[in-house]
Amino acid sequence: MTQYLLSVIQPAGERPAPEAMARIGADVAALHEELRAAGAWVFAGALHGPESATVVRLGGEEGQEVLLTDGPWIEAKEHLGGICVIEAADLDAALEWGRKAARATTLPIEVQPFLG
């Protein structure tokens, strides 16, 4: 089995209304239960907004200093809102889970295999 990353692509701006978020939360919880029942579940989690991020990079003379910068590493209209790591027999199976995730979250889902 190959592991795949399902990335939730979150648009910038306001979150949906509380009623919509409650429905989405229930749909995502149901998807996670389905993943567990199918033996495809590895890990999932939602992320705080990009304003909570800190970028750690090498800089300074000869790239020996570690620099910390507040905020996301790139300004964008979308950001990573959450992830789900799954195990699937092949890309087609992973894409089917991606379809289900898109329906549950109402957001775009990027499906990408891990190396190795």
Side-chain angles (χ1 to χ4, degrees):
M1 291 268 230
T2 300
Q3 289 188 338
Y4 291 85
L5 176 65
L6 307 182
S7 301
V8 180
I9 310 303
Q10 179 79 40
E14 292 187 33
R15 297 182 70 156
E19 309 81 44
M21 287 302 297
R23 182 180 34 73
I24 291 167
D27 290 347
V28 169
L31 171 64
H32 291 173
E33 282 305 313
E34 185 179 353
L35 283 161
R36 284 184 184 97
W41 172 267
V42 176
F43 173 82
L47 298 171
H48 285 279
E51 67 282 352
S52 70
T54 302
V55 179
V56 180
R57 73 178 85 217
L58 293 179
E61 280 190 40
E62 301 178 29
Q64 297 302 310
E65 186 178 348
V66 177
L67 306 173
L68 303 177
T69 307
D70 290 339
W73 67 276
I74 188 169
E75 294 296 324
K77 294 181 181 183
E78 299 174 322
H79 60 273
L80 184 62
I83 64 165
C84 185
V85 179
I86 64 166
E87 289 186 340
D90 55 31
L91 179 58
D92 288 336
L95 290 173
E96 184 56 35
W97 286 116
R99 286 181 189 92
K100 290 179 180 192
R103 287 185 195 103
T105 64
T106 72
L107 295 170
I109 303 295
E110 180 178 271
V111 177
Q112 189 172 10
F114 282 91
L115 284 173

